[in-house]
Every structure is written in C-alpha cells, then in structure tokens.
C-alpha cells in the first residue's frame, strides 16, 4: 500500500512534491492510525483510510462525469492530492497507550491497547492539513477548500454532540445513503450552476 501511495503522489507534477514525499516518509504517516477509536484505529489505518478515500473519490468523480449533467472537470491530479493528503494533519499526532474497558464476559475491567492523540501543532483538522501541504506544494483554491471542509458537519468544536450521527451511519446504511443522496441532489442535481446536457 505504501508503495502505491507514493507512486500516486509521484505522478503529481508540481514543484515540491518530492519534498512532501520526504516529509511523509520521515513522519509516522504510514504507520499512524486514522483515529483513536473510530475508523482505522490501528497501525497503518491512516494510510489505508487515505487510499480508501482516493478509491471512493475516483468512483464518485467517474460516475458523475458519465452522468447527464454538465459538471466541471476534476483532474486526476486533484483527486490524488485531496484524497491522499486530506488527513495529513494526523501525522505525528498519535502515540500508543492503554485504556480501561469492561470485559463483557467476566465483568472485570481490563487494560487494552489504544492510541491517544497529542498533536504537536494544535490548529484544527482540515485547516492544519492545508497549512502543512502548502509548506511543500501549491494547492488550487478548489483543492484547499475541499481539504479544509472535508469533515463536513463533523468539523465543529462541539464534536461530541455529533457522535450519535456517526453511530447511526455505522448501523444504518439507508440513513447514510439518504444523506449522500440528499447532498448530491442539493449540490449537484438542483444546483443552478450545473445544467443537464442536451
């Protein structure tokens, strides 16, 4: 996976991409988790998540480009940049720790391994990724905006109030798909900036 990730980044034709790849290789990006207890909360989870986002974004773009809507073209380079680097802010933020969890069979509390988050540069999520990326390569305004807002409704300070939404999406595929369909309809199908072909 790491080699494929680096190969994709090397296909980006921008000054500074080699320095960015060096930064990634000298960080813990490829071994880091994607989160402490949610998605990818294991060694290598951040790399896997980034590649999953790349695959999903490619799928979305390809299907929308084949639709009957006149949509702006999104380059493969932009797909690579935003998908693979959207969570760059998570590099060098996690360390191994333990937490207490009640064993459901015995009823006793046990220490289990986990990750704790302690960012060296605490400055948010999407904005921090944009800041780090632009130390190396220039982002287009569309790329910077996409990375900045990639968390959508989850990028709020009272994050815990939205935990139940995430749990609902984990348990209920229909709820998640309805959200996606609603967003696609609102921002694409019903957007006056985009017109049907023909």
């Amino acid at each position: 996976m790491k080699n494929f990730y680096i190969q994709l980044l090397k296909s980006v034709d921008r000054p500074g991409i080699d320095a960015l790849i060096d930064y990634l290789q000298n960080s813990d990006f490829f071994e880091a988790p994607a989160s402490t207890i949610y998605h990818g909360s294991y060694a290598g989870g951040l790399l896997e998540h980034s590649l999953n986002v790349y695959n999903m974004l490619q799928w979305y773009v390809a299907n929308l480009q084949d639709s009957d809507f006149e949509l702006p073209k999104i380059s493969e380079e932009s797909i690579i940049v935003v998908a693979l680097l959207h969570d760059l802010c998570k590099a060098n933020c996690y360390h191994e720790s333990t937490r207490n969890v009640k064993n459901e069979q015995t009823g006793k509390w046990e220490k289990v391994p986990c990750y704790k988050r302690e960012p060296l540069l605490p400055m948010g999520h999407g904005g921090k990724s944009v800041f780090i990326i632009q130390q190396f390569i220039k982002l287009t305004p569309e790329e910077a905006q996409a990375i900045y807002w990639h968390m959508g409704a989850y990028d709020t300070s009272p994050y815990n109030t939205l935990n139940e939404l995430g749990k609902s999406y984990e348990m209920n595929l229909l709820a998640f798909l309805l959200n996606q369909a609603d967003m696609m309809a609102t921002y694409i199908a019903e957007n006056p900036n985009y017109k049907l072909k023909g």
Side-chain angles (χ1 to χ4, degrees), residues 4 7-9 11-12 49-67 71-84 86 184:
F4 180 61
Q7 178 185 353
L8 285 170
L9 276 183
S11 72
V12 173
H49 170 68
S50 299
L51 288 170
N52 286 339
V53 171
Y54 168 74
N55 289 328
M56 291 304 300
L57 186 55
Q58 265 198 323
W59 183 85
Y60 267 120
V61 170
N63 281 281
L64 287 171
Q65 295 300 326
D66 288 341
S67 73
L71 301 173
K73 297 291 182 210
I74 298 172
S75 71
E76 176 65 14
E77 188 166 280
S78 285
I79 293 170
I80 291 168
V81 167
V82 302
L84 297 187
H86 76 282
M184 295 290 278

Side-chain angles (χ1 to χ4, degrees), residues 131-152:
F131 174 79
I132 295 169
I133 295 163
Q134 294 208 120
Q135 302 301 304
F136 301 98
I137 65 171
K138 185 173 180 172
L139 296 171
T140 68
E142 294 81 11
E143 291 166 352
Q145 187 180 43
I147 293 168
Y148 186 87
W149 289 112
H150 78 270
M151 291 285 290

Side-chain angles (χ1 to χ4, degrees), residues 1-7 30 44-45 47-49 51-52:
M1 280 195 298
K2 178 180 175 181
N3 289 339
F4 180 61
Y5 180 100
I6 292 171
Q7 178 185 353
F30 298 108
L47 171 60
E48 184 178 317
H49 170 68
L51 288 170
N52 286 339

Side-chain angles (χ1 to χ4, degrees), residues 34-195:
S35 69
T36 55
I37 59 172
Y38 300 106
H39 68 99
S41 58
Y42 46 82
L46 182 54
L47 171 60
E48 184 178 317
H49 170 68
S50 299
L51 288 170
N52 286 339
V53 171
Y54 168 74
N55 289 328
M56 291 304 300
L57 186 55
Q58 265 198 323
W59 183 85
Y60 267 120
V61 170
N63 281 281
L64 287 171
Q65 295 300 326
D66 288 341
S67 73
D68 288 333
F69 295 99
E70 290 181 11
L71 301 173
K73 297 291 182 210
I74 298 172
S75 71
E76 176 65 14
E77 188 166 280
S78 285
I79 293 170
I80 291 168
V81 167
V82 302
L84 297 187
L85 301 174
H86 76 282
D87 272 346
L88 184 56
C89 61
K90 294 181 177 182
N92 301 321
C93 282
Y94 297 98
H95 70 273
E96 292 180 0
S97 185
T98 59
R99 64 185 174 100
N100 293 324
V101 174
K102 195 170 192 175
N103 184 310
E104 291 182 16
Q105 294 175 341
T106 67
K108 295 182 180 181
W109 289 93
E110 300 173 346
K111 282 192 184 284
V112 297
C114 70
Y115 285 95
K116 298 274 183 178
R117 186 175 177 276
E118 291 182 9
L120 299 174
L121 180 63
M123 58 182 292
H125 191 78
K128 181 179 174 184
S129 289
V130 169
F131 174 79
I132 295 169
I133 295 163
Q134 294 208 120
Q135 302 301 304
F136 301 98
I137 65 171
K138 185 173 180 172
L139 296 171
T140 68
E142 294 81 11
E143 291 166 352
Q145 187 180 43
I147 293 168
Y148 186 87
W149 289 112
H150 78 270
M151 291 285 290
Y154 287 100
D155 199 4
T156 63
S157 54
Y159 179 77
N160 288 331
T161 63
L162 296 170
N163 281 343
E164 288 185 15
L165 174 63
K167 290 292 180 194
S168 295
Y169 286 174
E170 289 174 10
M171 298 168 58
N172 183 349
L173 179 61
L174 181 60
F176 174 75
L177 292 176
L178 177 61
N179 173 263
Q180 296 301 297
D182 185 40
M183 295 295 106
M184 295 290 278
T186 301
Y187 292 108
I188 296 179
E190 300 156 9
N191 187 334
N193 294 312
Y194 309 134
K195 300 174 190 164

